[in-house]
Amino acid sequence: MANTDSTLPHASGARSSHSKTGRLAAASSIGTALEWYDFTVYNIMAALVFNHVFFPSFDPLVGTILAFSTYAVGYISRPVGGFIFGHLGDVAGRKAVLITTLVIMGVTTALMGLLPGYAVWGIWSPVLLVALRFIQGIALGGEWAGAVLLSMEHGDANKRGRNASFAQVGPSCGTLIGTGFITLVTVALSGEQFQEWGWRIPFLLSLLLVMFGLWLRRGVEETPTFVAMQQAEKTTHTPLKEVFVRYPRELLIAGSSRIGSDVLYALVVVFTLTYVTTVLQLPRPLALMATMLGAIGNAITVPMFGALSDKLGRRPVYIAGALLAIVWSFVFFVLLDSSQPVLIVLAVIGGLLIHAVMYGPQAAFVTEQFPSHVRYAGSSLAYTLAGIIGGGFAPLIITTLYKEMGSTLWVSLYVSLALLITLFALWKAKETAHRPL
C-alpha cells in the first residue's frame, strides 16, 4: 500500500500534556528496564554461577562460554517475537502488545529462579534454562519498538529524540537495579549460600517489576498515531510483508546502526564481570560497583543525548559516539589491566557514557526509518535481527576470542569492527530528526 502518513492527523504534542510526560516516560521505560533487569541478572549469573549450577562438568572458562551460549538463545528467539508482536503492534495496537510482553518477560525470569540445578535434574536443567530463555526472547522481541513508540507517538514532534530515548533509559535502570540486588545478596550471604540458593532471589524479584509495570501501562492510552490510523482506516493487514518488500534498505540501515552499540555494551557490562573476577582475580563487588556507577551515568545522559539529537540531528551525535567507542575499546583494557580499582571504575563509567552518546538518538533514528503503518513491525525486525549479530553473540565471541588468542587486542578489534558497521550504516542513512512522522 502507498505511504499514507501525509494524510494522517498530526499526532504530536497537542494531545499530550506536561502532566502525562512523567507517566509516559515511566511506562515506556519500565518494559526495557525489566528486560535489562532480566538480562543483567542472567548475565551476571552466567559469569559467576551458572557455569557451576548448570554446567558443572566443565572448567570455569568453558562453563562460562556455555552459559553465554544460552544467553545467545535469548537473542536468537527475538526475531520470532519481532515477527509476532511486530505484526500485532501495527494491526491491533501498541498498548495491548506491551502488556502481553511485560507479563511473559517477568514470569519466565521468575521461573528461572525456581529451576533446579544440574545436580538435581541432570541434563533437563540446562535444557529447561534454554527453553525459558527462548520464550523470554520472544517477548523481548516485541517489547522494544512498542516501548519507544508509546512515548514518541504521544509526545511533541520537536522532541522525538528525547521522548524516544525514555525507553533507552530502561536498560541502564534495569542494569542498575539488577546489579544492586545482586550486590545486596552477595554482601548479605556467604559465598557458599550465594552459590547454593542466594542467586535465585534476584530472579524471583522480577515479579515486583511486572506488577509495577502493569499498573503504569494500564493507565496509558493508545498512541494518537495508531488511533488516527484506525479512524482513517490506514492500518495494514500485512505490515511484515510491506517492510521486506518496500523498505529493505531502511531495515538494513536501522538494524546495522544498532550492532556497534550492542557489542560495546556487551564488552563494558557483561565481559567486565568475567574479566575482572576470573582473569584479574579481583573481588566481585568491585566489578559490580563499577557497573552500577556506569549505569547511573548512562541513565542520566541517554535523554540528554537524545535531546541533543533533536537540535543537531541523529547522525552527527550517533557518529560521534561510534568514533569515541572505537578509541575506548582499546583504552578500556589498558585501564582494566592496571588492576587499580579507580581506573577499573573509570573504564566502565567511560564506556557507558560513550554508549549513551549512541544510545540517546538511536531509538528515534531506528523508528523514524519507517512510516507509521509499518513502524512497529519495521522497528521490531531491525531491533531483533541486529540483536542476534550484535548483542546476542557478543559475550560468547568476546570470551572465546580471549580464551583462544590470549590477548585483549583481538577483543578490541572485534568491537571496533562492529562499530565500523554502525558507522557505515549511519553514513548511508538520511537525516530523520526534522522530518514529519
Side-chain angles (χ1 to χ4, degrees):
M1 64 183 285
N3 187 340
T4 55
D5 285 356
S6 60
T7 65
L8 293 177
H10 190 56
S12 62
R15 293 186 58 180
S16 297
S17 65
H18 291 297
S19 62
K20 293 182 179 179
T21 302
R23 188 176 188 117
L24 279 172
S28 175
S29 63
I30 187 64
T32 50
L34 175 60
E35 169 190 348
W36 282 96
Y37 172 85
D38 296 343
F39 268 54
T40 297
V41 170
Y42 187 94
N43 296 343
I44 294 174
M45 298 312 174
L48 303 178
V49 176
F50 283 0
N51 55 343
H52 302 292
V53 176
F54 295 104
F55 308 97
S57 59
F58 301 93
D59 69 69
L61 200 55
V62 174
T64 300
I65 290 173
L66 289 172
F68 282 154
S69 297
T70 62
Y71 169 86
V73 168
Y75 277 89
I76 294 172
S77 61
R78 281 186 177 196
V80 178
F83 276 90
I84 296 172
F85 294 114
H87 172 82
L88 292 175
D90 282 325
V91 173
R94 315 331 192 186
K95 181 179 175 179
V97 170
L98 286 173
I99 290 176
T100 303
T101 56
L102 189 72
V103 172
I104 295 174
M105 281 192 297
V107 170
T108 52
T109 302
L111 288 175
M112 288 180 188
L114 297 173
L115 192 63
Y118 189 92
V120 178
W121 279 10
I123 191 62
W124 287 107
S125 182
V127 167
L128 288 173
L129 178 67
V130 171
L132 288 172
R133 188 69 172 163
F134 190 88
I135 296 171
Q136 185 186 62
I138 291 175
L140 298 181
E143 167 66 32
W144 181 82
V148 172
L149 297 183
L150 188 68
S151 57
M152 191 174 83
E153 291 183 346
H154 267 288
D156 188 333
N158 296 319
K159 297 179 180 179
R160 292 200 306 258
R162 186 205 66 175
N163 293 340
S165 72
F166 290 150
Q168 303 290 76
V169 174
S172 292
C173 292
T175 299
L176 181 62
I177 297 170
T179 307
F181 278 155
I182 292 174
T183 301
L184 289 175
V185 173
T186 302
V187 172
L189 303 177
S190 67
E192 183 178 340
Q193 290 173 321
F194 182 81
Q195 191 85 12
E196 186 176 345
W197 56 269
W199 64 269
R200 300 179 182 276
I201 297 174
F203 282 96
L204 299 174
L205 289 175
S206 68
L207 293 176
L208 296 178
L209 285 176
V210 172
M211 290 186 287
F212 180 59
L214 285 175
W215 174 75
L216 281 173
R217 286 186 171 175
R218 285 172 63 87
V220 175
E221 298 176 354
E222 181 58 82
T223 72
T225 297
F226 186 80
V227 172
M229 286 194 299
Q230 279 189 316
Q231 292 174 346
E233 298 183 349
K234 303 294 185 181
T235 56
T236 174
H237 297 294
T238 57
L240 295 171
K241 179 181 177 181
E242 280 207 50
V243 170
F244 283 114
V245 173
R246 301 194 62 221
Y247 305 101
R249 182 179 185 275
E250 289 80 359
L251 180 62
L252 189 60
I253 286 176
S256 299
S257 71
R258 288 188 48 89
I259 292 174
S261 62
D262 281 0
V263 173
L264 177 68
Y265 192 89
L267 171 71
V268 176
V269 175
V270 183
F271 186 66
T272 295
L273 292 164
T274 300
Y275 193 78
V276 170
T277 59
T278 304
V279 178
L280 299 180
Q281 296 290 309
L282 294 174
R284 182 186 303 163
L286 171 61
L288 295 175
M289 182 58 66
T291 303
M292 289 175 64
L293 292 175
I296 292 172
N298 188 273
I300 293 172
T301 53
V302 160
M304 295 181 182
F305 289 111
L308 185 63
S309 76
D310 287 325
K311 300 180 183 297
L312 303 181
R314 316 288 183 232
R315 294 171 70 246
V317 178
Y318 211 145
I319 288 171
L323 292 173
L324 286 170
I326 290 175
V327 175
W328 200 256
S329 68
F330 294 92
V331 175
F332 183 73
F333 284 109
V334 174
L335 296 174
L336 289 188
D337 289 339
S338 70
S339 294
Q340 298 297 315
V342 173
L343 295 182
I344 290 173
V345 171
L346 176 63
V348 176
I349 291 176
L352 285 176
L353 288 179
I354 291 171
H355 176 266
V357 181
M358 293 187 286
Y359 218 52
Q362 183 184 91
F365 175 82
V366 169
T367 52
E368 286 169 349
Q369 301 302 311
F370 305 97
S372 298
H373 65 288
V374 295
R375 186 169 295 133
Y376 204 129
S379 302
S380 291
L381 290 174
Y383 175 76
T384 55
L385 294 174
I388 295 177
I389 301 171
F393 287 102
L396 177 62
I397 292 172
I398 289 171
T399 307
T400 304
L401 275 175
Y402 181 76
K403 183 178 185 298
E404 296 299 324
M405 300 300 184
S407 170
T408 59
L409 174 63
W410 292 95
V411 174
S412 299
L413 290 173
Y414 162 64
V415 175
S416 297
L417 176 62
L419 289 161
L420 287 173
I421 294 173
T422 289
L423 283 170
F424 183 75
L426 294 170
W427 177 55
K428 286 292 187 179
K430 298 177 182 178
E431 183 56 63
T432 58
H434 306 297
R435 285 183 0 200
L437 285 179

